Amino acid sequence: MILAGPTGSEAAPAFIEVRDVQVTYGQGGAEPVQALADINIGVPEGAFVSLVGPSGCGKSTLLRAVGDMIAPSAGTITIAGTPASQMRREARIGLVSQAPNLMPWLRIADNVALLHELAAKRTGRPAPDVAALLQLVGLEGFGAKRPAQLSGGMQSRAALARALALDPDVLLMDEPFAALDEITRDRMGIELMRIHARFRKTVLFVTHSLAEAVFLSDAIVLMTPRPGRIARVITVDLPRPRLPEMRLTDAFARMVAELNRELYRMMA
């Protein structure tokens, strides 16, 4: 199943390929739990794809498997034809999670550079322009601050800059804005779209917000209750660039309602 890419074309070749993937936790124990079953998707390079579904359906598990943070019980995952494990070792996968996980004793500039500095010992990549990254995410002038001196939204910006400092091929985002208030969350979504349009990283984005998924994505993967399977893939054919007022359009409302109906049908 090849998802729609950033141009809306379903003929785009797959950049991330997930083939026959299953994940079972507690194998060999008394009560193993199957989190994912028979996952097959192909994500084109540069696409922004959201994973949505009921709590516990395996969205984050699939994200972690793509990032080689957990190993599939069966199946294979490749990125640009390379095993996900090798991509992780080469620091070509960036991760932004719900908690910013900034080091409280480090300045923001040092937090942004930290992962690259650790990876550079293996990759030999040149140092990122931290000042440019801080400017990119709207934190110009805050590089000398400590995390405790920043708001939640600003800490999320710093976490995004830290992931981008790796110059990754793939950006994995696991509910990165869930802890933010609605206004800040909407603003972060707009900033993320701006950055995605500039760098065209391939993004997998986990969210519980259907409106957020529609607003950000080229395609949405709807997953079933556990064990997670792909129930449906919905191409988001709304034009880009997407401005905040798009949320008020009939087309946007219809797409969110369609996702809601699919979820209710699955849960019935």
Side-chain angles (χ1 to χ4, degrees):
M1 179 185 295
I2 303 296
L3 307 186
T7 63
S9 170
E10 296 195 17
F15 185 69
I16 301 173
E17 289 195 73
V18 181
R19 296 181 179 176
D20 302 318
V21 162
Q22 300 184 39
V23 174
T24 301
Y25 293 114
Q27 285 183 307
E31 295 184 14
V33 175
Q34 187 173 17
L36 296 175
D38 304 320
I39 301 293
N40 286 277
I41 55 174
V43 178
E45 186 173 11
F48 194 118
V49 174
S50 288
L51 307 177
V52 303
S55 293
C57 72
K59 302 183 294 294
S60 294
T61 296
L62 178 54
L63 199 78
R64 290 196 293 269
V66 171
D68 191 49
M69 289 168 275
I70 60 173
S73 307
T76 61
I77 300 174
T78 59
I79 301 172
T82 302
S85 57
Q86 181 176 335
M87 296 291 281
R88 178 187 57 78
R89 288 193 296 271
E90 294 175 359
R92 295 167 67 184
I93 300 173
L95 173 68
V96 184
S97 57
Q98 182 172 343
N101 293 320
L102 302 175
M103 301 297 103
W105 59 88
L106 292 180
R107 301 178 310 139
I108 294 303
D110 296 328
N111 267 288
V112 169
L114 180 61
L115 292 183
H116 177 275
E117 290 174 355
L118 295 174
K121 298 175 182 178
R122 303 190 309 273
T123 66
R125 294 186 198 173
D129 187 337
V130 172
L133 285 169
L134 290 174
Q135 183 178 28
L136 176 70
V137 300
L139 289 179
E140 187 176 10
F142 289 90
K145 302 295 184 182
R146 297 293 195 276
Q149 297 173 287
L150 270 60
S151 68
M154 295 171 79
Q155 290 187 34
S156 293
R157 291 171 185 267
L160 177 57
R162 179 181 58 195
L164 292 172
L166 294 172
D167 191 23
D169 295 85
V170 173
L171 190 59
L172 305 178
M173 308 189 76
D174 193 356
E175 298 194 72
F177 311 140
L180 304 178
D181 65 85
E182 186 173 356
I183 294 173
T184 304
R185 182 172 183 159
D186 288 348
R187 185 179 299 122
M188 286 298 299
I190 293 168
E191 290 298 311
L192 178 58
M193 280 197 299
R194 177 180 61 82
I195 292 168
H196 179 253
R198 177 173 173 179
F199 293 101
R200 282 300 179 191
K201 302 296 184 184
T202 306
V203 179
L204 282 184
F205 188 91
V206 170
T207 181
H208 280 97
S209 169
L210 302 182
E212 183 175 60
V214 171
F215 189 60
L216 295 175
S217 306
D218 297 306
I220 298 170
V221 176
L222 182 61
M223 297 179 65
T224 68
R226 191 175 64 236
R229 293 181 170 88
I230 297 175
R232 186 179 173 192
V233 174
I234 297 175
T235 299
V236 182
D237 56 3
L238 300 174
R240 293 187 184 273
R242 294 178 188 163
L243 303 177
E245 50 267 30
M246 178 175 286
R247 295 174 179 267
L248 305 177
T249 64
D250 291 341
F252 184 87
R254 282 195 298 270
M255 188 157 287
V256 174
E258 181 181 359
L259 280 168
N260 263 313
R261 282 193 296 271
E262 291 287 346
L263 278 174
Y264 280 125
R265 189 176 297 119
M266 285 194 304
M267 299 301 290

